[in-house]
Amino acid sequence: MSNERKLMHIVMFPWLAFGHMIPFLNLSKLIARKGHRISFISTPRNIDRLPPPPPALSHLLNYVKIPLPGHDVVPDFPINAEATSDVPYDKVVYLKLAYDALQQPLTQFLRQTSPDWIFFDFASYWLPSVASELGIPSAYFSIFTASVLGFSGSVQVLKGDDSEKQPRKTLEDYTVKPEWVPFETSVCFKIYEITKIADSVITSPENTVSDIFRMGSSIQGCDIVAVRSCWEFEPEWLKLLEQDLYRKPVIPVGQLPTVEEEEEAADESKNTVWRGYKEWLDKQGKGSVVYVAFGSEAKPSQSELTEIALGLEQSGLPFFWALKLKRGDWDTETIGLPEGFVERTKDRGVICTSWAPQLKILSHDSVGGFLTHSGWSSVVESIQFQRPLIMLTFLADQGLNARLLEEKKIGYPIPRDESDGSFTRDSVADSLRMVILQEEGKIYRDKVKEMNGIFCDGGRQDFYVENLLAFLQSYSRN
């Protein structure tokens, strides 16, 4: 049997966002542990910010740096920006243009190395045709859940083919269950969520390509779709994708929880920072601390920041807040905490505006809940350490994730105005206390423990990786 298992060379090419790069990297490590060779491609600064390959995998997991083009190619692109976390939301369009300009050097790399497969992200919609010309099978690897893909629709819907028959003609059409979903679900956007992202996801600035067109072209051109999901969590959505919407192989790869062992760091400065935070966490009561983090991309408005801060204060709970006040040097929108907030809460709160070791914090016994944007990597990490979710969405797929989590009683959304998404300090404080302390919130505390066995069981995750590899090896022999 062992002679039949071909060892493969697989190229990974994620979009330039850490919420995408980290799942790609986690899958890369799991595949490399099976003896296969991985070339993980990104830009120099992003690779320098990723954890180094574990020593045991260093001969199999190879980082490949391809620089972004200069201002002669994308004149308006911010200097030294290589990830979505480096730029304000309205500048991400230039990052996509710079990413598109990686087509030529990536093609050259593929031609020189002739890998067995390439796994790519939604943004590189041009890659399937490149891979096909070179005779390389391609997999669109979706870090979005099966429910997000299912809600988004078929290739025809995503690309706007035959626009006269398009089922979605207004933003309100995104706030209801799609006609092609045959089962009951609450997964849809709120009007304030889809309004905020419509200019990049649905439409796009002149001479650029929308996100849904990129996704539709990626799905249309790839050989298979790999999804960060599992049958135990989203069976009906996975079945919908493969049998009805895509009509091609759809393979769940598991939830890909991050394994921290090798990321214990060599960086002594980070260890020192963590020791200080741990001392503070050690002094707090078990399950009492709110961990607050909204990912590398989301940035609250000033009014939102004020209500979050005053809600934390009003809750009376201790908190650790990983707070991002600025997205890169080009972010000119200044926001700040309410006057006197830091002084008033200094005895029960930590505000971290630099690096925060999220896995270590969530793993600490004092943490009782996670106030989150509902980005899926943060969701998986919260479930990994059995911390119930209190949800406050901002961008991208977060609203759809939040509906799914609410539907399954894994997370509780902070009540907001249905039209503009505004919320109050009272709703923040009441939501935190309910989920972390009160009997009413016990369902969320219990459910996240139940989900831990589905999301984070090592044997189950290994099954999904083995299943994926068996398919890739079988397909490449055809």
Side-chain angles (χ1 to χ4, degrees):
M1 273 306 274
S2 61
N3 292 333
E4 296 179 19
R5 290 182 61 93
K6 173 188 172 187
L7 292 180
M8 296 178 290
H9 175 207
I10 298 172
V11 170
M12 296 282 181
F13 186 57
W15 164 233
L16 305 177
F18 283 94
H20 291 243
M21 288 183 270
I22 296 301
F24 267 76
L25 182 57
N26 288 346
L27 181 59
S28 297
K29 291 176 183 176
L30 291 169
I31 292 174
R33 286 191 182 114
K34 303 293 184 180
H36 304 282
R37 188 159 56 93
I38 302 290
S39 293
F40 188 99
I41 300 177
S42 192
T43 63
R45 188 165 180 237
N46 286 332
I47 283 179
D48 289 344
R49 288 184 283 188
L50 291 172
L57 301 179
S58 60
H59 64 297
L60 292 170
L61 176 51
N62 181 42
Y63 285 149
V64 179
K65 297 180 178 181
I66 300 182
L68 287 174
H71 281 247
D72 55 326
V73 177
V74 187
D76 296 313
F77 187 58
I79 298 171
N80 295 327
E82 297 188 12
T84 54
S85 56
D86 299 329
V87 292
Y89 179 67
D90 62 349
K91 300 293 184 186
V92 172
V93 61
Y94 300 115
L95 188 63
K96 286 174 185 158
L97 291 174
Y99 184 74
D100 289 342
L102 296 178
Q103 179 174 343
Q104 189 276 328
L106 180 63
T107 301
Q108 184 178 352
F109 177 84
L110 294 175
R111 185 175 287 116
Q112 291 172 343
T113 57
S114 298
D116 296 287
W117 279 88
I118 180 163
F119 279 53
F120 69 101
D121 215 327
F122 83 98
S124 47
Y125 68 104
W126 37 265
L127 199 149
S129 61
V130 170
S132 179
E133 287 175 13
L134 297 174
I136 302 167
S138 65
Y140 164 49
F141 175 31
S142 171
I143 61 94
F144 306 112
T145 61
S147 55
V148 169
L149 295 177
F151 175 85
S152 301
S154 66
V155 167
Q156 290 71 30
V157 171
L158 291 164
K159 293 184 68 177
D161 294 346
D162 196 355
S163 58
E164 291 302 312
K165 295 182 180 179
Q166 279 299 306
R168 289 171 171 154
K169 293 182 168 57
T170 69
L171 292 184
E172 284 73 18
D173 293 331
Y174 288 84
T175 66
V176 295
K177 184 181 81 123
E179 61 186 34
W180 54 82
V181 177
F183 45 84
E184 286 305 310
T185 181
S186 59
V187 173
C188 61
F189 284 108
K190 304 289 188 183
I191 191 64
Y192 59 84
E193 292 168 337
I194 194 62
T195 300
K196 186 180 284 189
I197 62 174
D199 60 344
S200 65
V201 173
I202 302 169
T203 60
S204 56
E206 189 176 356
N207 298 322
T208 62
V209 181
S210 71
D211 286 355
I212 62 169
F213 185 89
R214 288 174 184 270
M215 181 182 285
S217 297
S218 295
I219 293 165
Q220 182 179 43
C222 70
D223 293 289
I224 68 168
V225 177
V227 188
R228 187 185 191 182
S229 186
C230 56
W231 285 107
E232 296 86 350
F233 185 64
E234 298 181 287
E236 68 278 28
W237 289 104
L238 286 164
K239 182 180 176 183
L240 175 69
L241 294 178
E242 183 167 73
Q243 297 184 3
D244 297 342
L245 297 183
Y246 298 167
R247 308 288 178 88
K248 64 175 57 180
V250 174
I251 303 177
V253 301
Q255 296 292 352
L256 305 176
T258 299
V259 178
E260 198 187 14
E261 84 259 307
E262 63 272 356
E263 295 168 34
E264 279 300 335
D267 188 334
E268 187 55 35
S269 64
K270 288 187 174 181
N271 282 332
T272 302
V273 169
W274 164 240
R275 280 194 290 268
Y277 293 150
K278 183 177 183 301
E279 286 177 11
W280 181 84
L281 289 166
D282 287 344
K283 296 173 184 175
Q284 312 308 314
K286 184 176 181 179
S288 66
V289 174
V290 184
Y291 176 56
V292 186
F294 302 121
S296 60
E297 295 186 35
K299 178 186 169 186
S301 66
Q302 181 58 64
S303 60
E304 290 170 336
L305 184 70
T306 297
E307 295 306 308
I308 293 166
L310 297 179
L312 281 169
E313 183 178 0
Q314 191 173 304
S315 75
L317 294 165
F319 62 87
F320 189 109
W321 192 351
L323 177 59
K324 193 175 184 69
L325 293 170
K326 191 175 183 180
R327 286 183 57 176
D329 295 337
W330 280 51
D331 190 349
T332 57
E333 182 188 1
T334 304
I335 58 174
L337 292 164
E339 186 176 354
F341 171 78
V342 174
E343 180 63 27
R344 293 193 303 271
T345 60
K346 65 181 181 182
D347 292 333
R348 63 178 177 87
V350 171
I351 299 167
C352 171
T353 57
S354 57
W355 173 77
Q358 181 158 298
L359 283 175
K360 291 184 188 307
I361 294 166
L362 285 171
S363 70
H364 198 281
D365 285 345
S366 67
V367 175
F370 186 3
L371 176 53
T372 174
H373 59 309
S374 304
W376 204 251
S377 286
S378 287
V379 168
V380 173
E381 289 175 0
S382 195
I383 292 172
Q384 188 172 349
F385 297 107
Q386 303 179 37
R387 310 302 179 209
L389 298 151
I390 306 96
M391 303 179 295
L392 194 61
T393 63
F394 292 95
L395 292 170
D397 58 326
Q398 296 162 15
L400 300 180
N401 292 341
R403 300 302 99 70
L404 181 67
L405 294 165
E406 180 184 8
E407 190 176 276
K408 293 177 179 289
K409 299 297 182 186
I410 301 169
Y412 178 78
I414 289 177
R416 303 171 79 158
D417 183 280
E418 287 290 319
S419 58
D420 65 10
S422 60
F423 56 91
T424 67
R425 63 201 70 174
D426 293 342
S427 63
V428 173
D430 293 346
S431 299
L432 293 173
R433 284 195 296 257
M434 186 271 283
V435 172
I436 293 175
L437 298 177
Q438 296 169 4
E439 183 63 27
E440 187 184 351
K442 188 173 185 295
I443 187 171
Y444 302 101
R445 301 193 294 271
D446 289 345
K447 198 69 176 180
V448 79
K449 292 174 183 174
E450 178 186 327
M451 286 295 108
N452 173 269
I454 291 175
F455 276 53
C456 304
D457 177 76
R460 183 175 277 117
Q461 179 60 72
D462 188 66
F463 163 81
Y464 281 106
V465 174
E466 287 282 4
N467 185 61
L468 170 68
L469 292 172
F471 185 92
L472 298 182
Q473 289 163 325
S474 169
Y475 189 96
S476 63
R477 288 198 295 266
N478 289 342

